[in-house]
Amino acid sequence: MSIEQLAETAQAMVAPGKGIIAIDESTATIAKRFAGVGIENTEENRRAYRELLLTTPKLNEHISGAILYDETIRQSTKDGVPFAKYMADHGMIPGIKVDKGAHPLAGCPGELVTEGLDGLRERLQEYYKLGARFAKWRAVINIGDNTPSGTCIESNAHALARYAALCQECGLVPMVEPEVIMDGDHDIETCYEVTEATLRSLFDALYQQNVLLEGTILKASMVISGKGCDEQADVEEVAESTVMCLKSTVPAILPGVVFLSGGQTDEQSTEHLNAMNQLGNLPWPLSFSYGRAMQQAALKLWAKDMKGNYAAAQKTVYERAKDNGLAALGKWNG
């Protein structure tokens, strides 16, 4: 894929009023979500659930693409159409999660580094053949006493940059996700400082590894108070702090930024995104790449009656996509 094609795909991922749905939960993670609503964690149930999400009528009006899991990109609809082909035929871009998860960072107790670079080139080449046109790699940055360390931030930034370079070599747009975790009692100012340091390190590493920013998407966490903080920042402060942090760290040539919902409620994630876009004068589109905030309401509904509630669950998915699509334009009114 040429530089122009990478840039074209990246721009399509953040087309006006459209975002990404994340359905890349590992088998272990989706087992927990299924258990929470009483669904047996079988391969067929996982396939059927992902089909419900991807085949939602008119989903492509507000969804530009989906991040899939290794199992999912190899699955098909009940009619035998591979999910990646179904998505492409319906104007949505197939993506794939490629990291191998966060593991303890040696020498830095309590901190994590994401693994998965070994054999990644070959896996990316296979995913391209299966229809993927972008990939995702998530780093985990925890805030605590004396953490994150510079070593943790730099190690994760380097891994993200190596992954991104390999993606572009294989014709895939890299989505780089350095998630600053909401867990903790830190205030929004601390989150701002950690997010700023993380993003500065990330873009320095991307530059060092010759990654083409015009063919890259940032998946960012919002600058927000820790869950345990006594004084929770309001919507306006979250929006203003997040945009200010991005403007000070993210090059304008980047095609766009999509946010993860990361522990927020469905409505909070939509409200925050909407408030950011209402600020105006942004160098890049700000959109969404939500997982739980797009799925949870539909999953609960489907779990009550898998056949009887199928259409109602899909309607719920569409409504969440529509709300977030409007928020990506700053036009959501609650």
Side-chain angles (χ1 to χ4, degrees), residues 8-88:
E8 187 178 308
T9 299
Q11 288 163 7
M13 290 167 64
V14 289
K18 292 189 177 185
I20 307 284
I21 183 171
I23 56 173
D24 58 336
E25 304 91 350
S26 67
T27 304
T29 299
I30 203 164
K32 295 175 185 175
R33 297 197 184 170
F34 276 7
V37 293
I39 296 175
E40 186 182 0
N41 184 32
T42 63
E43 182 179 354
E44 173 53 26
N45 281 344
R46 293 193 297 272
R47 189 210 63 77
Y49 176 55
R50 265 95 186 225
E51 178 172 3
L52 180 153
L53 297 170
L54 291 172
T55 62
T56 292
K58 302 187 293 183
L59 187 66
N60 59 6
E61 291 178 3
H62 308 288
I63 295 296
S64 60
I67 310 169
L68 309 177
Y69 185 57
D70 179 81
E71 176 183 79
T72 314
I73 200 170
R74 303 174 192 281
Q75 291 175 327
S76 302
T77 67
K78 62 180 182 295
D79 296 327
V81 181
F83 283 148
K85 183 179 188 308
Y86 179 92
M87 289 177 63

Side-chain angles (χ1 to χ4, degrees), residues 85-150:
K85 183 179 188 308
Y86 179 92
M87 289 177 63
D89 289 346
H90 289 78
M92 294 181 287
I93 306 166
I96 181 71
K97 166 190 161 72
V98 298
D99 67 71
K100 295 291 188 179
H103 298 267
L105 177 59
C108 298
E111 298 194 276
L112 303 169
V113 65
T114 301
E115 298 181 355
L117 290 172
D118 288 351
L120 180 58
R121 177 182 276 116
E122 292 73 25
R123 289 194 290 125
L124 291 171
Q125 290 169 347
E126 181 187 13
Y127 287 138
Y128 187 93
K129 290 177 183 176
L130 288 170
R133 290 300 177 264
F134 73 94
K136 189 203 83 168
W137 178 290
R138 173 178 177 256
V140 176
I141 308 295
N142 287 301
I143 299 178
D145 294 335
N146 302 314
T147 58
S149 64

Side-chain angles (χ1 to χ4, degrees), residues 147-159:
T147 58
S149 64
T151 301
C152 174
I153 290 174
E154 290 169 14
S155 298
N156 279 292
H158 179 79

